[in-house]
Amino acid sequence: MTPLLVADPLEALRADLLVFCHFEDIPVPRGSLALGDWALNAAVSRLSLSGRFVGAPGGTALLNAAGKLPTERIALVGTGRAAELSRGALTEAGRTAAALAADLRCRDVAVGLPFHALPGSDPAALAAAFQQGFAAAAPPVPPSLRFLDPAVSP
């Protein structure tokens, strides 16, 4: 199945859950996560700098947008060190996100991938790696899954 890339800006995107990958060695967000952090008044940066969420592989944090974005639930999924990001790491992040989405009973999940961390990579291939892990761990009736287009999420 081909990953669905959507061009909706964050301030117009509606989903049950908005997922971002977060690196453990970059406490200040970049790419699409930076846009989300800005909308959330630096809540992601504060969480990371406090040490309560460090971005280790398999780690998660759940934030409430408190009306600042149409999607109320924002999930951070740890992807480890930025220099070690690979398609395999994105597949694992997809598994982690699917488990969280299932626990929260989400039917519609949007994902902002860190395209900036792998310059020159095919965005559809990176989204497919995440989607592969998501599908492997999703419930029998999986939620819909879409990805922020890199043109919208730098």
Side-chain angles (χ1 to χ4, degrees):
M1 176 194 251
T2 303
L4 175 63
L5 297 174
V6 295
D8 298 347
L10 282 180
E11 58 273 7
L13 183 68
R14 294 191 180 277
D16 293 335
L17 182 66
L18 178 56
V19 176
F20 292 105
C21 295
H22 195 298
F23 298 113
E24 64 184 325
D25 57 338
I26 302 179
V28 178
R30 296 186 184 151
S32 61
L33 180 54
L35 297 174
D37 192 37
W38 179 81
L40 298 173
N41 297 326
V44 175
S45 294
R46 288 192 312 273
L47 182 65
S48 182
L49 292 170
S50 74
R52 292 184 300 174
F53 178 74
V54 296
T60 61
L62 188 61
L63 303 171
N64 186 313
K68 295 177 176 81
L69 292 170
T71 300
E72 286 296 316
R73 294 185 287 192
I74 313 295
L76 304 177
V77 174
T79 51
R81 301 181 59 76
E84 297 168 3
L85 183 65
S86 65
R87 289 183 181 167
L90 288 174
T91 299
E92 286 305 313
R95 283 187 179 97
T96 302
L100 181 61
D103 288 347
L104 296 171
R105 293 182 169 78
C106 296
R107 303 291 306 142
D108 182 29
V109 177
V111 181
L113 290 177
F115 296 116
H116 67 282
L118 291 170
S121 294
D122 176 19
L126 299 178
F130 186 97
Q131 184 174 342
Q132 178 184 0
F134 193 90
V141 179
S144 67
L145 183 64
R146 52 201 162 117
F147 297 88
L148 300 178
D149 190 293
V152 175
S153 58

